[in-house]
Amino acid sequence: CWYWALVICAGWGVGVSTVWAMHFVGMVALHLNGGVSSGASGEIPVRFEVSFTVISALAAWLISSIGLHILAGRDVTKRDRIDREFCIRLVAATSLIASGVVIMHYMGMISQTGPFRTEYDPGIVFASGLIALTAAAVGLFLLMVLPSTMITRAFAA
């Protein structure tokens, strides 16, 4: 019972309190101004559809919780060993958390509404996925292999 409560809280901490909040604040801070080529004049209002915004936060929370559960499901006595089981768990958790970040990010982008059209460049979408994958891999690896102190946990985050 306590394990699941900790996994759910850790998923909230990783998925919502850090990743989702950072993305949402960044998207709220974005101000679009009509340029000469757009035909718009002045600031373009950007609103967020509440349902997609909430679903993006829930997706980040749920997927992060599952990824952390996969990573933490290892015997504590083997924590300092980098073996086959560790690598499999790390790859699975990294893939899941990175896909959760990408899903959350693009659901947040879909939630933006206003008098504009959003276009996606496949190369940039792919690059954002690689960035999410790299950041998740490095963060989770450091979280698992560094000694468990406050400074190393903050560094891994």
Side-chain angles (χ1 to χ4, degrees), residues 17-77:
S17 296
T18 55
V19 176
W20 182 85
M22 176 188 64
H23 278 81
F24 188 70
V25 167
M27 290 171 66
V28 169
L30 174 70
H31 291 280
L32 301 176
N33 290 315
V36 175
S37 63
S38 72
S41 60
E43 191 165 316
I44 299 171
V46 178
R47 291 185 177 76
F48 294 90
E49 186 178 315
V50 174
S51 60
F52 277 117
T53 304
V54 170
I55 291 170
S56 74
L58 292 175
W61 183 15
L62 176 66
I63 294 170
S64 294
S65 295
I66 294 169
L68 291 172
H69 164 66
I70 289 169
L71 192 63
R74 188 173 158 95
D75 185 359
V76 176
T77 60

Side-chain angles (χ1 to χ4, degrees), residues 25-132:
V25 167
M27 290 171 66
V28 169
L30 174 70
H31 291 280
L32 301 176
N33 290 315
V36 175
S37 63
S38 72
S41 60
E43 191 165 316
I44 299 171
V46 178
R47 291 185 177 76
F48 294 90
E49 186 178 315
V50 174
S51 60
F52 277 117
T53 304
V54 170
I55 291 170
S56 74
L58 292 175
W61 183 15
L62 176 66
I63 294 170
S64 294
S65 295
I66 294 169
L68 291 172
H69 164 66
I70 289 169
L71 192 63
R74 188 173 158 95
D75 185 359
V76 176
T77 60
K78 299 179 183 178
R79 187 175 190 284
D80 59 344
R81 256 187 261 158
I82 299 176
D83 57 4
R84 186 172 192 272
E85 179 189 359
F86 172 79
C87 292
I88 290 170
R89 287 183 179 278
L90 181 66
V91 167
T94 295
S95 301
L96 199 58
I97 289 176
S99 65
V101 169
V102 170
I103 289 167
M104 174 273 313
H105 175 73
Y106 286 101
M107 283 184 73
M109 298 272 297
I110 290 170
S111 76
Q112 291 180 321
T113 61
F116 53 84
R117 188 179 80 220
T118 305
E119 295 179 4
Y120 298 100
D121 180 331
I124 293 176
V125 172
F126 182 74
S128 70
L130 286 180
I131 291 168

